[in-house]
Amino acid sequence: MKKPKLSQQSIVLALFALLFAGLLLFLPGFAQIDNLLTLVQNVAFLGILGLGMAIVVIGRGIDISMIAALAVPSGLLLQLVQDGHSLPAACALALGLTLLFGLVNGWLIAYAEVPSLFTTLACGLFLAGLGQASLLHLEVVQWPAALDPLAWLGRGTLAGLPMPVVMFAVAAAACSFFLRRLRAGAFIQAIGDNPFAARATGLPTRPMVLLEYMLAALIGLFAGVVMAASINSMPTRIFNSTMIYDVVLVVVLGGIGLSGGRGGVFNVVIGTLLIGTMLNGMTIMDLSYSVQNIIKGVLLLVAILIDSMLNPRNEETAQQGDI
């Protein structure tokens, strides 16, 4: 009989269970209800962003502009409503900015063939600077009363679960349906697995890349609105934080191969649980940001090494298909 093969997902899930149990038993304050509620809310925001990043990484790309897509369009939505614009008009403008941002990202990567790392870095910096210089009056945009029809996205509970967690579950279900049931999702996975073979078989590779980055931007906007509704404001300086590295950690540690074509929503969920719990524990232990960054950097490096061993790629398989 063959021994069952341990997958990265099962290992990460076991690590999460051990870490959560250890913190629950030995870290004072971790088991408090207020802390657990904070944990699940932060996990929800991180998880929603992880879903957008997962779609891009499965398509053999990366999007490090997602925090700008989270902060600026949602901050613009709050700002426009504060300035007296109607809710439909403000939503339309914020949505339009998000789609345009994703479209520019995707076009530069798919048609101009600029590497995704440099494209999303430059576009994210541009959008963040545009928000600071022109679109937003303050660095922290407060939630206006006129926007209360959307407040349910981040406030209250449903069946005992905080609404951000419910929104994460809804987003996860939608992304799972997209990747597993829709033709576009299958195309993205095929393109990520072997872009040359996908193009040779007639798949619309460039439009699919456009779609990836537009979806990532839309998911970023959704995460931003949920976050703003939950904390009653949008601190736009969040795009200067290290949150994007946490999102990358969620995706890579969860088992989504950086070489593309592998992984799904379940990988994001287990990666989110592990990283969210680890970040919460380090915060309670009052570890400095420098120490936290060292730990996250080591984890990311280890995850990349594991990914390179579990999902090897070489020039031959990249062009001719997996053997």
Side-chain angles (χ1 to χ4, degrees), residues 25-298:
L25 292 173
F26 301 112
L27 183 61
F30 182 81
Q32 293 179 0
I33 298 299
D34 289 343
N35 178 67
L36 293 177
L37 288 175
T38 301
L39 169 63
V40 295
Q41 287 196 351
N42 291 337
V43 160
F45 306 141
L46 195 60
I48 294 172
L49 290 172
L51 294 169
M53 182 69 77
I55 291 174
V56 173
V57 172
I58 289 171
R60 197 175 282 207
I62 194 166
D63 187 355
I64 60 174
S65 66
M66 287 197 71
I67 307 304
L70 173 147
V72 176
S74 58
L76 178 63
L77 172 62
L78 272 61
Q79 186 69 69
L80 289 171
V81 175
Q82 279 186 3
D83 293 343
H85 294 84
S86 67
L87 179 56
C91 289
L93 287 172
L95 183 62
L97 175 63
T98 303
L99 291 173
L100 178 62
F101 178 67
L103 183 65
V104 171
N105 261 341
W107 186 88
L108 288 171
I109 294 165
Y111 292 92
E113 297 186 352
V114 182
S116 59
L117 177 64
F118 303 119
T119 297
T120 55
L121 174 62
C123 289
L125 289 172
F126 175 81
L127 182 61
L130 181 66
Q132 283 184 314
S134 303
L135 300 179
L136 307 172
H137 303 330
L138 299 171
E139 290 182 345
V140 179
V141 187
Q142 298 298 321
W143 183 273
L147 207 55
D148 282 346
L150 296 180
W152 61 272
L153 289 171
R155 302 178 197 172
T157 60
L158 180 65
L161 292 174
M163 284 306 297
V165 178
V166 176
M167 292 299 104
F168 176 34
V170 170
C175 288
S176 179
F177 180 80
F178 171 78
L179 290 171
R180 297 171 66 89
R181 300 295 181 185
L182 295 186
R183 185 175 298 177
F187 285 174
I188 288 174
Q189 294 189 65
I191 292 167
D193 186 59
N194 194 318
F196 301 99
R199 183 175 297 178
T201 56
L203 296 185
T205 55
R206 297 185 194 274
M208 287 298 103
V209 172
L210 280 178
L211 178 62
E212 290 173 26
Y213 288 91
M214 292 178 72
L215 286 175
L218 286 172
I219 291 172
L221 171 62
F222 178 67
V225 174
V226 173
M227 176 182 289
S230 176
I231 65 177
N232 211 37
S233 65
M234 172 44 65
T236 57
R237 285 184 65 86
I238 196 172
F239 49 62
N240 293 325
S241 70
T242 60
M243 191 175 185
I244 190 62
Y245 305 118
D246 299 336
V247 178
V248 174
L249 267 173
V250 162
V251 171
V252 179
L253 272 180
I256 295 179
L258 289 174
S259 53
R262 289 173 170 81
V265 169
F266 181 68
N267 300 92
V268 176
V269 173
I270 60 176
T272 301
L273 291 173
L274 177 61
I275 297 303
T277 302
M278 183 191 71
L279 293 176
N280 184 265
M282 291 193 298
T283 301
I284 293 176
M285 289 185 286
D286 200 24
L287 296 181
S288 67
Y289 282 115
S290 299
V291 174
Q292 292 189 33
N293 287 336
I294 290 172
I295 294 172
K296 289 189 287 186
V298 171

Side-chain angles (χ1 to χ4, degrees), residues 12-34:
V12 172
L13 193 58
L15 287 175
F16 159 70
L18 290 173
L19 177 64
F20 189 84
L23 293 176
L24 203 65
L25 292 173
F26 301 112
L27 183 61
F30 182 81
Q32 293 179 0
I33 298 299
D34 289 343

